[in-house]
Structure formats: structure tokens, C-alpha cells
Amino acid sequence: MRNWLVMAPMSGKTNLAFRLIAREMGAGLVSTEMISAAGLSRGQAKTYSYVATHPDERPVAAQLFGSETDAMAVSARIIADKGIDVVDINMGCPAKKVVKTGSGAALMRDPQKTAKILTAVRRSIPVPLTVKIRAGWSPQEANALEIARVIEGCGADGISIHPRFASQGFCGKADWTLIRRMKETLKIPVIGNGDVDAPSLALQMRSETKCDGVMIGRAALSNPWIFKQTLELEQRGNFAIPGLHDRQRLIFS
Ligand SMILES: Cc1cc2nc3c(=O)[nH]c(=O)nc-3n(C[C@H](O)[C@H](O)[C@H](O)COP(=O)(O)O)c2cc1C
């Protein structure tokens, strides 16, 4: 990571063009959208296109989703061989078409399968492995800290947490206190995520939770400058707001 700010993986949004913008705007690590391990391991051309990268965006993570151990391990290796710097595993997606296959947030309900997949992926790649989780499947299954210990035990190098339950989707508020508890529980770096939509909130999340990095998603879609602005706020106490000319330059570049 070039700095503590991470661009969140976002399906249909974080393609190569957007990732290059986020890098130019100061993001310390960018990520592909989630990529199907089933598609990648079967050699599907469209799925392969999601792994396309460019040296200017590095360091870059590629995020995999799936529930089949061999497909996950093979796909992770394909990603690492393509020069991607970090393999990230999606354990947070609540979309029906994903969870019905046992992937995404459904993995949070199955610590044994999680351990099997992560152990196999860990063995298959020489690059850092990270995992992105939620608070749990539902308030009745609030197992983020237990799952995080499993993930750490499998040799993951970092974890990012969006502290809402899968059952919540994007409703309610992200529970930042869980990020803090996770940081207190684990030895590996913890990246906090959820509801950071202003530079001051990125600094607030870091100071309240002591997390190692802050991941920003939706706010970066309308304001990719948020990464640069946060670094400016940290360094000099204020930040520049892009004018019309800056916006035009970005759109036409
Ligand atoms: C359009 C969209 C697509 C998303 N796609 C993914 C994805 O592919 N993988 C993933 O782990 N999270 C995905 N997310 C969740 C974000 O990474 C992030 O956890 C969430 O938006 C909360 O962060 P925010 O409040 O900064 O937006 C997506 C979110 C949005 C809005």
C-alpha cells in the first residue's frame, strides 16, 4: 500500500479506467471488482478481461468470489501470475445470485469451508492474501470476530471489514465499533470500511478504530478526489475542492 487509503472493490464500477483515476487521485491501493473463480478457472474470456491490469495502477488487488476450493486456488494463481499484487477473497457480497452458490457473505456462515478455501489459496500464491468480510450474516449470526480469527489462522495478510450484516444490505449505519474490536483482536492489518463519505470521516474512522487503513467505496464514485483530499487534510489541515476545470480535465483525459 502506498498510503492508508484503499479504494473499495465495486462490481460494475472499479474497472481499469476507474482504478487508474483512483490511483491518480491518491488511493494507496486499488481493487478490481469481484471476479468469478468458476469463470476464471474455466478460462472464460469475459472473466479474464476483469483481470487486465496496467503498471500505472499498482499496487492493485484482484478480488475473487467462489465457493469451490480448487477453482479458488487455481484462479488465485492465475491472478498472481498476471502480476496482480494482492489476491482478495470476497466474503461480504450479499447478492442473491452470489450467496445461493455458497459464495460471498454465505461463506461467513461456514467457517470450515472458509478455512479449507483459504488454506488452499494461501498455498497456491506467493503474493499477499486478504479477505473482505461483513459483520456476519445477520444479527443472529454476528460472527465477524470468530471468522476473522479463522482467516488470520489460515495465513491471510490482512482483512477488511464492512461492519453491516449481509441481511442489512446497505441499510442502517456501519458499526465502526466492530472495526475497533477487530483491530484489538487480530495481529494482521485491519482495513475499516463503511460510510466514509468525507475526508474528515476517513480520519475519524482511523482515530476511533485504530485501523491500519480506510477503504472508501461509494463516495469515490462521485468524488474520486476524496483520496487526495483526505491526505491533504491529514497533512495540512484543509483540502482543495476541484473546480469545473479540474472536473473537465478528468472527464476528457
Ligand atoms: C455498486 C457497488 C458494487 C459493489 N461491489 C462489490 C464487490 O464487487 N466486492 C465487494 O467486496 N464489495 C462490493 N461492494 C461493497 C463495497 O466494496 C463497500 O464495502 C461498501 O460500498 C461500503 O463502503 P462505502 O460506504 O464506502 O461505500 C459494492 C458496493 C457498491 C455500491
Side-chain angles (χ1 to χ4, degrees):
M1 265 162 69
R2 285 178 199 260
N3 61 53
W4 55 283
L5 296 172
V6 181
M7 192 204 71
M10 284 181 286
S11 188
K13 309 287 181 195
T14 56
N15 56 19
L16 178 57
F18 187 76
R19 298 197 303 269
L20 286 167
I21 290 174
R23 270 289 312 137
E24 188 189 329
M25 295 300 160
L29 176 67
V30 297
S31 175
T32 69
E33 61 187 277
M34 59 179 180
I35 300 169
S36 160
L40 209 54
S41 61
R42 280 195 221 116
Q44 278 173 6
K46 183 158 194 275
T47 314
Y48 260 81
S49 70
Y50 294 127
V51 193
T53 183
H54 186 279
D56 288 355
E57 68 168 331
R58 296 182 71 178
V60 56
Q63 192 189 60
L64 269 180
F65 75 95
S67 61
E68 214 272 300
T69 305
D70 290 344
M72 291 290 270
V74 166
S75 304
R77 184 68 205 209
I78 291 170
I79 286 173
D81 288 347
K82 287 212 171 271
I84 300 270
D85 302 287
V86 178
V87 172
D88 184 47
I89 305 296
N90 182 316
M91 286 184 59
C93 180
K96 260 201 192 110
K97 66 173 186 193
V98 172
V99 295
K100 79 171 186 218
T101 64
S103 315
L107 278 176
M108 291 204 65
R109 309 180 91 178
D110 195 339
Q112 278 182 350
K113 195 197 258 183
T114 297
K116 207 172 148 212
I117 290 173
L118 294 182
T119 304
V121 169
R122 175 68 291 168
R123 282 203 197 110
S124 76
I125 52 167
V127 299
L129 168 66
T130 58
V131 181
K132 182 164 179 278
I133 66 172
R134 281 199 173 222
W137 179 260
S138 66
Q140 292 73 39
E141 295 173 74
N143 64 343
L145 295 177
E146 287 106 279
I147 279 282
R149 278 191 217 101
V150 171
I151 292 168
E152 186 174 60
C154 292
D157 300 285
I159 195 158
S160 51
I161 165 112
H162 173 201
R164 281 186 172 91
F165 298 106
S167 61
Q168 274 181 286
F170 281 96
C171 298
K173 261 184 87 179
D175 174 13
W176 290 6
T177 64
L178 181 57
I179 302 173
R180 188 184 176 116
R181 278 182 283 145
M182 186 147 294
K183 180 64 196 160
E184 286 162 1
T185 305
L186 301 183
K187 292 193 187 70
I188 56 176
V190 173
I191 312 287
N193 169 235
D195 300 346
V196 171
D197 61 6
S200 58
L201 288 178
L203 294 172
Q204 189 183 327
M205 176 187 275
R206 190 173 63 162
S207 73
E208 277 180 17
T209 69
K210 309 284 180 260
C211 63
D212 301 279
V214 170
M215 177 182 276
I216 303 176
R218 290 165 295 173
L221 295 176
S222 55
N223 178 25
W225 285 269
I226 192 167
F227 301 106
K228 207 180 236 182
Q229 290 173 331
T230 304
L231 297 174
E232 285 172 4
L233 185 64
E234 180 189 22
Q235 281 150 24
R236 60 171 207 235
N238 59 28
F239 59 86
I241 294 175
L244 190 59
H245 179 74
D246 300 303
R247 290 182 184 272
Q248 274 174 341
R249 194 192 63 76
L250 182 64
I251 290 166
F252 294 114
S253 64

